[in-house]
Amino acid sequence: MQAARNAAYAELFAAKLAEMRPGFAATLARRLTRMEQVRDSDVLLSSPAQAMDLFRHYAHKTAGMAATMGFPELGELSFAAEAAVTRYMENPAHLAAALDAVDDMLGEMALIVHDYPA
């Protein structure tokens, strides 16, 4: 009886997760657009701390939900980007590594957004 109940709960959970993924992908699309705009604009040059703080904020928020939503690689890349940006904020010599980590995260976000078009 318990095994059947656990299977039913697992099925309900999977169905709810599938229902929530398009909304998460839409959130990722907005974050991706905003981060690409900042990355590709003068903000990164004129106010790198502001740009990097935005990247860190979005990386943190994404890392917290990505694995739960079934995107563990994005979760790992987001956590890595957050850590890399934090290292940059502590020592600006780490700018290239931080931008590489952010680009890796953005690439994975783009793949997910592509799979869940709005």
Side-chain angles (χ1 to χ4, degrees):
M1 183 71 163
Q2 184 64 32
R5 186 175 301 141
N6 287 346
Y9 287 145
E11 189 176 311
L12 285 172
F13 180 77
K16 186 63 176 174
L17 197 57
E19 179 183 312
M20 294 171 63
R21 277 191 186 119
F24 180 69
T27 297
L28 288 181
R30 290 188 298 275
R31 290 177 187 169
L32 176 64
T33 298
R34 180 68 182 126
M35 286 189 286
E36 286 178 334
Q37 288 170 341
V38 169
R39 182 195 61 194
D40 298 339
S41 74
D42 291 337
V43 174
L44 191 56
L45 298 174
S46 64
S47 184
Q50 180 184 358
M52 297 306 269
D53 192 51
L54 175 90
F55 295 152
R56 183 173 54 181
H57 172 75
Y58 281 143
H60 177 80
K61 290 183 73 140
T62 303
M65 283 299 297
T68 301
M69 296 302 294
F71 304 107
E73 186 170 346
L74 177 59
E76 291 172 15
L77 291 170
S78 298
F79 179 75
E82 179 184 9
V85 170
T86 298
R87 281 191 298 278
Y88 159 78
M89 298 295 264
E90 294 167 355
N91 181 350
H94 296 287
L95 178 62
L99 291 174
D100 286 346
V102 168
D103 280 341
D104 289 345
M105 177 184 66
L106 295 179
E108 186 65 19
M109 290 171 100
L111 291 174
I112 293 167
V113 167
H114 179 268
D115 289 344
Y116 291 87

